[in-house]
């Protein structure tokens, strides 16, 4: 047996991927590993480093409440996040705060959650009498720090969606759009 081994020999000996061995070498976690040109030379007696990706030594299975329905067709963030199986998309709020876009265009097919995402943004930013922070305390945005929590519930938000405007004539469509704008204006006058 030679005094050194190659990455491929370490892969076979330690039963891990070549990519993982390369990462361990680059991170300096294999004692005595040296880069020689484009390859690594690993001491033959080197021990496989402990997997530090799992702190407890055991994988923890995340449990979700059983039998929650998917929020298909649900556009209300408060309802979707509390009574349905909901994927946390609140890091989008962090992106909005950090990037401050002038305009955001959501281009996705039908039933991809555009209106639900817009309602999430409205619920987070809108200034109301209700404490809407309760809908975000268990979400990722809340763990991002006070800087982001300070934006919660501080702004008037104009929320307009045309998802229910489905008519055959221009007159019916125009009346529905007019009613949507009027309803949003009344909401902000109260």
């Amino acid at each position: 047996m030679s005094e050194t081994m190659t990455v491929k020999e370490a892969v076979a000996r330690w039963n891990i991927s070549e990519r993982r061995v390369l990462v361990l070498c680059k991170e300096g976690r294999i004692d005595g590993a040296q880069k020689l040109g484009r390859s690594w030379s690993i001491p033959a007696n080197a021990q496989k480093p402990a997997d530090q990706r799992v702190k407890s030594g055991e994988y923890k299975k995340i449990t979700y409440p059983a039998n929650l329905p998917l929020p298909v067709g649900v556009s209300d963030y408060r309802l979707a996040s509390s009574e349905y199986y909901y994927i946390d998309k609140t890091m989008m709020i962090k992106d909005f705060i950090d990037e401050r876009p002038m305009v955001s265009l959501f281009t996705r097919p039908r039933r991809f959650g555009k209106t639900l995402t817009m309602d999430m943004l409205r619920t987070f930013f809108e200034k109301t009498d209700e404490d809407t922070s309760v809908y975000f305390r268990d979400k990722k945005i809340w763990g991002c720090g006070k800087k982001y929590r300070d934006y919660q519930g501080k702004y008037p938000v104009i929320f307009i969606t045309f998802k229910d405007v489905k008519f055959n004539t221009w007159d019916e469509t125009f009346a529905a759009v007019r009613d949507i704008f009027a309803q949003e204006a009344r909401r902000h006058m109260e």
Side-chain angles (χ1 to χ4, degrees):
M1 189 188 262
S2 66
E3 295 180 353
T4 63
M5 64 179 162
T6 64
V7 169
K8 290 188 184 213
E9 291 170 332
V11 166
R13 187 178 294 174
W14 295 339
N15 195 27
I16 58 177
S17 71
E18 184 173 335
R19 182 176 179 165
R20 186 71 189 142
V21 173
L22 292 171
V23 167
L24 292 170
C25 288
K26 288 176 188 173
E27 291 177 350
R29 303 226 359 250
I30 301 175
D31 291 333
Q34 295 179 345
K35 187 155 187 163
L36 302 173
R38 295 177 59 178
S39 61
W40 286 89
S41 175
I42 303 170
N45 60 353
Q47 297 296 312
K48 175 183 172 185
D51 189 351
Q52 294 179 341
R53 295 174 295 176
V54 179
K55 300 293 183 197
S56 67
E58 296 178 9
Y59 288 97
K60 294 180 183 176
K61 185 173 181 176
I62 299 172
T63 57
Y64 296 101
N67 300 325
L68 286 178
L70 293 173
V72 176
V74 177
S75 302
D76 184 341
Y77 171 76
R78 297 166 191 185
L79 180 66
S81 65
S82 59
E83 296 182 26
Y84 290 85
Y85 181 78
Y86 179 76
I87 303 296
D88 187 354
K89 299 176 193 152
T90 58
M91 291 306 283
M92 180 180 274
I93 296 167
K94 182 180 183 300
D95 291 340
F96 274 104
I97 293 169
D98 291 343
E99 296 173 16
R100 297 187 176 269
M102 292 294 291
V103 175
S104 294
L105 178 63
F106 298 103
T107 56
R108 292 288 178 261
R110 293 183 68 228
R111 302 287 186 209
F112 264 65
K114 296 179 296 293
T115 306
L116 179 58
T117 300
M118 288 173 37
D119 194 55
M120 173 196 67
L121 294 169
R122 177 180 64 115
T123 304
F124 185 84
F125 288 111
E126 189 166 52
K127 184 177 185 177
T128 64
D129 295 333
E130 178 188 0
D131 178 18
T132 55
S133 68
V134 297
Y135 300 107
F136 297 95
R137 290 184 184 153
D138 63 338
K139 305 293 186 264
K140 289 183 181 179
I141 188 64
W142 213 251
C144 289
K146 185 176 183 329
K147 170 188 173 184
Y148 300 99
R149 290 191 299 265
D150 286 346
Y151 283 89
Q152 200 277 320
K154 300 287 191 243
Y155 303 96
V157 175
I158 297 172
F159 180 81
I160 296 174
T161 179
F162 300 120
K163 73 176 185 69
D164 295 325
V165 179
K166 300 171 186 162
F167 298 98
N168 294 327
T169 68
W170 167 248
D171 291 333
E172 291 175 314
T173 303
F174 182 79
V177 170
R178 182 191 62 220
D179 291 345
I180 289 169
F181 277 93
Q183 182 180 3
E184 189 65 10
R186 280 191 301 273
R187 191 173 75 84
H188 282 281
M189 283 193 264
E190 296 173 353

